[in-house]
């Protein structure tokens, strides 16, 4: 029996992906859960795991090809099973008992030989296997850039698949500053534009899209974190390193549990409709060298604080190592961004579309506060919620944020499963 | 200078060479009394008689075999194969005798033979619509000429007849009626020298024979949008002189090979390989090929019309290459 390997969707708005490389060859044995291929999304390179154990039989989509999500990219057969033709149409599991029916084809009439196009396509596939990490540039562009002392990587390619063409290098040469200094009173010379990484481009596009389409409103609460700090310290006193709980884990847990009571906040606005999500998947913003990424902690409302801590740690480690898996990305329903480690008091975040809201968390700082008519020093934290006004109004969001705060101020409840 | 058809230009070359050199003779099916299936040799029989304009049996191997022998013996035969499709019947004589005798016998004998034959199509169906130029261009020992204009046809045929080497001189059934300027006096055009038929800086179109005219029409159309094609007419396919193609590619950084034959293992494959090897650093895009669809030529007129690249397709491909 053959099992299809599908290009997964890693988010509500992901419609296609690029297969960056196969980690297994045709004929290789694969174990269930083993990474067999890498796909490149806008934000990260993600591994695809084998859904079943068997032998990778048919590679249908080759490295470098961009295909819609849901496309069959290969097949896994039982060990010893019959490998399928790589050229076979994806859904061709026709089980007609009397033998396979030949598809109607005009070419197979009186023409003696097989139709040519199939062979041509076969050749084309192998020809397009890209060399990894190589900047695509035409030979003349390479030569011109070399002669002009321009780094090809600094040039944005306008050709097929972003190939740097002669015209691009020429434009780069033309825009290169030649004079020693610009005359006084004129605008400063623009620097050589550096091509943004795919991730930076995705961040640029998505954030602009969010601000342009989702009307944001914001609200901030002060959370007294005295209890949370105490509980955390007690728990960690006896925990191993991997099981140690962070303040952020408690925020994730408190937020997820609150979202379970406020389905509107765990929703998306789409073409005049409100789509409430059945799962509560918390995206945790992780800063990277060149950008940020929000791997997703799934079903966070149903997980213990300890599980959240472990998974969150593993997620951010994988994110920083660039080894996120397909299930780590996409399908987030709410994002938490914490800049406390940078001693930021408070900040306002942009909603990660198509989510309805994002919680921006600042540092936990001892501050004087009024408690029962007296000034006392307490651990305080500011949390700012950005909300898509198409999805929720101030009162709803206010109730939601108040409950998040209460849960954080009564953290023992987070320990109950 | 006067305007002449391709057919008349070829006939003029034959006639002038028949007058100039009494060793020149013509042999082939229906070339004498009838004047040739495509009327190229019309009236030559009346002027030069049956000893120099020889009607042969319908036996292509015998025509080329006799011509090879005559050439070895000191004559300068011009053998006509009614169409290039019938060269298949004479393949052994062409490949193993005409092309190899000079080599195999240490240069003791020459084969100053011209084989004139038209490629082409026009509801002639699968077996009679072929080009085959790549088959002959594959072969060391043969010169393969494929002129596209009356001027080149006349000048190159005269050179071919005067050459001491066997020349496959491929005309085109659909070019015989095409007219062009031809000088009134004596002139020759060398073999093995391509010609720039249109200058331009945006893309190089490498072509020959009838496709030259398709390329010229496409270039005219593209020029209205400011796209300037440089058209290199190869004229001779073997020996393949790439110098003008190279100069052009260095200028334009892009090349499209336009051929009427099937592209697989065709002239375009050879030209693309040579450009890729010798002018790699000047390319801005892969060398593209455009040719006949890879199926036997159908008889039905509507299907046949879809077989060959036309002006529209060339325009489209050039635009794609420049986008």
């Amino acid at each position: 029996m053959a099992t299809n390997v599908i290009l997964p969707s890693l988010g509500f708005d992901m419609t296609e992906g690029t297969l960056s490389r196969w980690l297994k060859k045709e004929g290789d044995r694969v174990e269930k859960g083993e990474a067999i291929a890498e796909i490149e999304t806008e934000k990260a390179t993600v591994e695809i795991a084998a859904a079943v154990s068997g032998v990778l039989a048919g590679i249908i989509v080759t490295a470098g090809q961009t295909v819609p999500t849901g496309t069959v990219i290969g097949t896994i057969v039982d060990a010893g099973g019959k490998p399928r033709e790589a050229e076979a149409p994806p859904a061709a599991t026709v089980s007609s008992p009397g033998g396979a029916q030949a598809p109607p084809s005009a070419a197979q009439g009186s023409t003696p030989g097989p139709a040519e196009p199939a062979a041509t396509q076969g050749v084309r596939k192998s020809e397009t296997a890209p060399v990894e990490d190589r900047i695509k540039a035409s030979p003349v562009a390479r030569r011109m850039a070399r002669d002009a002392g321009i780094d090809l990587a600094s040039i944005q390619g306008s050709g097929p698949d972003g190939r740097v063409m002669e015209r691009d290098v020429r434009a780069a040469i033309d825009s290169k500053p030649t004079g020693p200094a610009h005359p006084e009173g004129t605008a400063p010379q623009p620097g050589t534009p550096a091509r943004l990484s795919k991730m930076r481009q995705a961040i640029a596009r998505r954030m602009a899209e969010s601000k342009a389409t989702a009307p944001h409103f914001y609200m901030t609460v002060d959370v007294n974190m005295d209890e949370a700090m105490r509980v955390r310290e007690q728990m960690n006193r006896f925990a191993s390193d991997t099981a140690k709980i962070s303040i952020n884990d408690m925020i994730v847990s408190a937020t997820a549990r609150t979202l379970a009571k406020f389905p509107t906040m765990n929703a998306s606005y789409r073409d005049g409709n409100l789509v409430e999500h059945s799962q509560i998947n918390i995206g945790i913003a992780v800063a990277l060298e060149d950008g940020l990424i929000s791997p997703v902690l799934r079903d966070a409302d149903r997980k213990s604080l300890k599980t959240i801590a472990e998974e969150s740690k593993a997620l951010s480690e994988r994110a920083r190592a660039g080894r996120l898996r397909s299930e780590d990305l996409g399908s987030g329903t709410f994002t938490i961004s914490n800049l406390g480690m940078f001693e930021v008091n408070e900040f306002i975040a942009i909603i990660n579309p198509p989510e309805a809201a994002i919680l921006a968390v600042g540092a936990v700082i001892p501050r004087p506060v009024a408690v029962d008519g007296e000034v006392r020093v307490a651990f305080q934290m500011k949390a700012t919620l950005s909300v898509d006004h198409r999805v929720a109004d101030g009162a709803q969001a206010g109730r939601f944020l108040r409950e998040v705060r209460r849960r954080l101020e009564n953290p023992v409840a987070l320990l109950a499963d | 200078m006067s305007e002449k058809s391709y057919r008349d230009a070829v006939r003029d070359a034959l006639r002038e060479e028949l007058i100039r050199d009494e060793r020149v003779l013509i042999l082939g099916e229906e070339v004498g009394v009838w004047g040739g299936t495509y009327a190229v040799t019309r009236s030559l029989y009346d002027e030069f008689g049956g000893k120099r304009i020889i009607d042969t049996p319908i036996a292509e191997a015998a025509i080329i075999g006799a011509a090879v022998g005559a050439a070895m013996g000191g004559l300068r035969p011009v053998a006509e194969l009614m169409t290039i499709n019938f060269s298949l019947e004479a393949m052994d004589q062409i490949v193993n005798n005409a092309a190899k005798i000079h080599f195999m016998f240490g240069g003791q004998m020459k084969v100053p033979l011209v084989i004139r034959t038209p490629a082409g199509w026009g509801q002639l169906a699968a077996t009679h619509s072929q080009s085959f130029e790549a088959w002959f261009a594959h072969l060391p020992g043969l010169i393969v000429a494929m002129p596209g204009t009356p001027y080149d046809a006349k000048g190159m045929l005269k050179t071919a007849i005067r050459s001491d080497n066997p020349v496959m001189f491929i005309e085109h059934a659909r070019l015989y009626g095409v007219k062009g300027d031809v000088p009134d006096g004596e002139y020759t055009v060398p073999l093995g020298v391509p010609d720039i038929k249109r200058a331009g800086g945006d893309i190089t179109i490498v072509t020959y024979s009838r496709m030259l005219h398709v390329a010229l029409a496409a270039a005219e159309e593209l020029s209205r949008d400011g796209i300037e094609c440089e058209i290199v007419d190869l004229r001779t396919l073997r020996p393949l002189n790439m110098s003008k193609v190279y100069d052009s590619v260095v200028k334009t950084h892009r090349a499209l090979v336009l051929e009427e034959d099937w592209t697989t293992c065709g002239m375009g494959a050879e030209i693309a390989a040579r450009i890729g090897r010798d002018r790699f650093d000047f390319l801005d895009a892969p060398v593209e090929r455009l040719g006949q669809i890879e199926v036997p030529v159908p008889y039905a007129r509507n299907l046949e019309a879809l077989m060959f690249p036309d002006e529209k397709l060339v325009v489209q491909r050039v635009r794609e290459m420049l986008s």
Side-chain angles (χ1 to χ4, degrees):
Chain A
M1 222 203 83
T3 304
N4 289 335
V5 183
I6 307 271
L7 186 89
S9 171
L10 306 177
F12 299 112
D13 54 349
M14 175 171 165
T15 54
E16 58 175 33
T18 304
L19 189 99
S20 46
R21 66 180 175 131
W22 282 97
L23 303 171
K24 297 282 176 184
K25 294 191 299 291
E26 278 191 18
D28 280 358
R29 195 159 168 98
V30 299
E31 298 302 326
K32 182 177 174 178
E34 191 181 6
I36 54 173
E38 281 181 0
I39 59 171
E40 192 183 329
T41 68
E42 285 167 332
K43 285 192 144 193
T45 300
V46 174
E47 288 173 352
I48 296 179
V52 294
S53 296
V55 171
L56 183 62
I59 285 181
I60 293 165
V61 173
T62 53
Q65 285 189 288
T66 301
V67 293
T69 53
T71 301
V72 177
I73 60 174
T75 50
I76 296 171
V77 297
D78 294 343
K82 244 180 139 179
R84 284 172 54 185
E85 278 289 308
E87 300 293 338
T93 33
V94 186
S95 52
S96 55
Q101 284 171 309
S105 160
Q108 286 180 330
S110 52
T111 318
E116 196 71 12
T120 317
Q121 282 168 8
V123 172
R124 190 164 296 168
K125 274 190 181 171
S126 57
E127 278 173 355
T128 51
V131 183
E132 254 183 291
D133 294 336
R134 186 175 155 87
I135 296 164
K136 283 198 187 106
S138 78
V140 72
R142 255 173 221 288
R143 187 178 56 90
M144 285 173 67
R146 194 176 56 226
D147 291 350
I150 294 177
D151 182 8
L152 270 179
S154 70
I155 302 174
Q156 171 127 28
S158 67
D161 296 331
R163 184 189 294 152
V164 178
M165 309 290 285
E166 187 228 355
R167 57 180 174 247
D168 304 322
V169 182
R170 200 173 288 285
I173 291 171
D174 289 348
S175 67
K176 219 178 155 186
T178 45
H182 54 269
E184 265 179 61
T186 62
Q189 290 269 7
T192 312
R195 188 168 188 206
L196 289 176
S197 68
K198 247 185 158 171
M199 178 189 287
R200 284 243 64 90
Q201 289 183 32
I203 293 169
R205 201 183 56 251
R206 291 172 60 87
M207 291 302 102
E209 176 205 324
S210 176
K211 274 286 195 173
T213 59
H216 288 52
F217 69 89
Y218 314 96
M219 53 184 60
T220 303
V221 288
D222 280 308
V223 187
N224 184 324
M225 296 295 279
D226 275 352
E227 281 301 310
M229 293 292 272
R230 212 172 355 257
V231 166
R232 172 173 159 264
E233 210 222 282
Q234 284 173 21
M235 285 186 74
N236 288 350
R237 202 171 288 166
F238 303 101
S240 66
D241 276 355
T242 50
K244 280 202 163 68
I245 287 158
S246 71
I247 288 293
N248 203 58
D249 297 330
M250 300 175 91
I251 299 168
V252 169
S253 179
T255 306
R257 285 161 191 241
T258 310
L259 280 171
K261 280 178 65 186
F262 291 83
T264 315
M265 301 299 292
N266 194 59
S268 295
Y269 175 86
R270 207 180 290 157
D271 302 327
N273 297 306
L274 185 71
V275 182
E276 287 181 2
H277 302 299
S278 54
Q279 282 184 303
I280 292 171
N281 301 331
I282 305 290
I284 301 168
V286 176
L288 303 176
E289 195 89 334
D290 175 43
L292 81 156
I293 196 159
S294 301
V296 172
L297 213 153
R298 280 164 204 279
D299 294 318
D301 58 318
R302 294 189 213 149
K303 283 178 176 160
S304 71
L305 193 51
K306 184 164 161 282
T307 307
I308 288 175
E310 284 165 353
E311 289 191 7
S312 165
K313 196 176 304 252
L315 274 179
S316 57
E317 274 166 14
R318 285 205 293 274
R320 292 200 180 94
R323 309 296 307 171
L324 284 171
R325 301 173 190 153
S326 57
E327 66 267 26
D328 296 340
L329 283 174
S331 312
T333 58
F334 187 101
T335 299
I336 294 174
S337 180
N338 190 332
L339 292 180
M341 67 286 259
F342 301 114
E343 292 158 28
V344 169
N345 283 348
E346 63 179 310
F347 70 103
I348 295 169
I350 298 173
I351 295 166
N352 186 18
E355 296 169 14
I358 184 167
L359 191 65
V361 182
V364 178
I365 299 168
R367 260 202 302 253
V369 287
V371 180
D372 300 332
E374 280 180 43
V375 175
R376 267 186 26 207
V377 173
F379 282 108
Q380 290 287 111
M381 181 187 85
K382 283 181 189 292
T384 302
L385 186 68
S386 309
V387 185
D388 183 345
H389 216 324
R390 298 172 301 180
V391 174
D393 303 323
Q396 279 170 295
R399 277 195 287 273
F400 168 77
L401 193 54
R402 183 178 60 194
E403 177 151 343
V404 172
R405 181 183 135 203
R406 282 180 181 169
R407 282 178 187 268
L408 281 170
E409 291 182 346
N410 299 278
V412 175
L414 295 177
L415 303 178
D417 279 346
Chain B
M1 198 73 88
S2 47
E3 197 177 56
K4 277 206 166 82
S5 71
Y6 191 99
R7 175 189 287 109
D8 290 344
V10 172
R11 187 193 299 115
D12 285 356
L14 292 169
R15 184 170 172 273
E16 286 172 26
E17 292 306 298
L18 283 160
I19 292 167
R20 192 189 61 81
D21 186 345
E22 62 179 12
R23 295 172 300 169
V24 175
L25 62 94
I26 291 171
L27 70 166
E29 294 156 9
E30 309 279 23
V31 297
V33 179
W34 180 251
T37 299
Y38 289 99
V40 173
T41 54
R42 182 175 292 165
S43 80
L44 296 180
Y45 180 85
D46 297 336
E47 186 173 353
F48 298 98
K51 283 204 164 168
R52 296 187 70 193
I53 314 294
I54 303 166
D55 278 323
T56 65
I58 304 174
E60 284 78 10
I63 296 170
I64 304 302
V68 168
M72 289 165 68
L75 297 177
R76 299 219 158 230
V78 180
E80 179 180 301
L81 293 174
M82 191 182 288
T83 80
I84 201 164
N85 305 284
F86 308 140
S87 69
L88 298 179
E89 291 286 340
M91 222 50 180
D92 188 45
Q93 288 297 335
I94 299 170
V95 173
N96 280 332
N97 286 340
K100 297 199 179 93
I101 279 173
H102 183 66
F103 170 84
M104 287 179 70
F105 298 99
Q108 294 178 77
M109 279 162 289
K110 293 171 183 160
V111 184
L113 160 70
V114 177
I115 301 171
R116 279 188 47 249
T117 184
W121 49 277
Q123 281 215 298
L124 299 168
T127 60
H128 288 174
S129 303
Q130 297 163 111
S131 276
F132 290 147
E133 68 267 19
W135 294 33
F136 298 106
H138 183 60
L139 195 64
L142 267 192
I143 292 170
V144 181
M146 210 158 170
T149 66
Y151 175 92
D152 289 339
K154 182 178 176 188
M156 287 168 70
L157 182 53
K158 288 167 76 91
T159 304
I161 292 169
R162 296 175 197 185
S163 167
D164 283 343
N165 292 303
V167 179
M168 196 72 193
F169 195 88
I170 306 173
E171 297 160 13
H172 199 292
R174 297 176 84 88
L175 282 181
Y176 283 133
V178 168
K179 291 190 170 166
D181 284 339
V182 178
D184 295 322
E186 159 81 14
Y187 75 97
T188 58
V189 173
L191 296 171
V193 181
D195 185 38
I196 306 288
K197 288 292 198 290
R198 183 185 173 112
D202 294 325
I203 185 170
T204 302
I205 301 180
V206 185
T207 189
Y208 52 91
S209 190
R210 192 183 79 88
M211 280 295 132
L212 166 66
H213 301 276
V214 175
L216 286 167
E220 195 61 39
E221 166 78 27
L222 288 160
S223 178
R224 275 181 225 131
D225 292 342
I227 298 170
E228 296 301 337
C229 306
E230 181 144 299
I231 298 177
V232 183
D233 179 6
L234 289 174
R235 301 201 290 195
T236 305
L237 307 184
R238 186 176 192 112
L240 186 58
N241 181 335
M242 292 292 290
S243 60
K244 290 211 165 97
V245 175
Y246 289 161
D247 290 350
S248 184
V249 167
V250 166
K251 189 167 70 171
T252 65
H253 311 307
R254 280 177 169 72
L256 167 68
V257 186
L258 178 60
E259 54 194 321
E260 199 171 63
D261 203 2
W262 297 298
T263 50
T264 300
C265 302
M267 289 307 300
E270 178 63 29
I271 290 159
R274 292 198 193 197
I275 295 172
R277 183 194 59 193
D278 295 338
R279 291 298 180 272
F280 179 77
D281 280 332
F282 293 88
L283 284 176
D284 205 22
V287 177
E288 292 276 350
R289 293 177 287 163
L290 198 50
Q292 184 179 154
I293 294 172
E294 305 248 351
V295 294
V297 179
Y299 176 77
R301 198 186 293 280
N302 57 338
L303 296 180
E304 187 189 46
L306 299 173
M307 284 292 295
F308 303 97
D310 59 7
E311 177 193 328
K312 249 172 75 182
L313 201 58
V314 175
V315 166
Q316 185 192 329
R317 183 62 68 87
V318 168
R319 285 194 208 280
E320 283 166 9
M321 287 177 69
L322 288 171
S323 66

